């Protein structure tokens, strides 16, 4: 366990809010977004359902004064992987989004990459190990 810096907690809260809003929009508006972005409805809905659980975990971490370093590292690595995966999805040809869809995927990939970086910086600014 480490003492979570204010910077880390704020970066986690920002990720929670962004992911939570995205989760609700994608889970409950997948059909509309599928039409708007020319992306598969199932992909959007399943992404939204995953993000509900993810936002709950990150929100829980953000609400703690001390956190398990491995859990925060998992969030950082997950965000970095999400960024790379999003761009790889576009380049793979597995989906054929329209321009709005491409812009949306790139924008959320950038946002997720920024969260990974901010959380990593916050983790480095966090205090030493808390003894039990």
């Amino acid at each position: 366990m480490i003492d979570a810096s204010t910077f880390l907690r704020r970066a986690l809260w920002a990720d929670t809010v962004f992911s939570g809003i995205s989760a609700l929009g994608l889970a409950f508006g997948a059909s509309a977004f599928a039409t708007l972005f020319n992306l598969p409805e199932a992909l959007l809905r399943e992404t939204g359902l995953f993000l509900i659980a993810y936002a709950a975990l990150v929100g829980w971490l953000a609400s703690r004064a001390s956190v398990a370093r491995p859990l925060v590292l998992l969030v950082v690595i997950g965000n970095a992987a999400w960024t790379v995966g999003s761009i790889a999805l576009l380049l793979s040809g597995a989906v054929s989004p329209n321009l709005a869809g491409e812009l949306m995927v790139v924008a959320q990939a950038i946002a997720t990459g920024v969260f990974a970086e901010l959380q990593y910086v916050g983790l480095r600014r966090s205090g030493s190990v808390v003894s039990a």
Side-chain angles (χ1 to χ4, degrees):
M1 300 292 283
I2 59 169
D3 286 322
S5 68
T6 301
F7 190 92
L8 174 59
R9 292 180 71 197
R10 287 182 179 161
L12 291 168
W13 276 123
D15 191 1
T16 299
V17 170
F18 181 82
S19 297
I21 291 169
S22 297
L24 295 174
L26 292 174
F28 299 108
S31 178
F33 284 122
T35 302
L36 179 64
F37 298 131
N38 197 40
L39 287 166
E41 183 176 341
L43 172 67
L44 297 176
R45 180 169 282 101
E46 290 168 14
T47 299
L49 293 173
F50 168 79
L51 286 174
I52 290 170
Y54 173 80
L57 170 67
V58 177
W60 179 80
L61 286 172
S63 71
R64 303 288 176 235
S66 60
V67 295
R69 181 178 171 82
L71 274 179
V72 177
L73 278 173
L74 180 64
V75 170
V76 171
I77 292 166
N79 277 335
W82 187 287
T83 298
V84 172
S86 295
I87 301 305
L89 177 67
L90 289 179
L91 296 175
S92 73
V95 295
S96 300
N98 56 25
L99 180 60
E102 289 177 358
L103 291 173
M104 186 274 301
V105 172
V106 169
Q108 65 81 31
I110 291 169
T112 305
V114 168
F115 288 136
E117 179 66 23
L118 293 173
Q119 291 158 353
Y120 180 73
V121 169
L123 186 59
R124 294 196 53 179
R125 289 185 180 181
S126 293
S128 59
V129 175
V130 176
S131 55

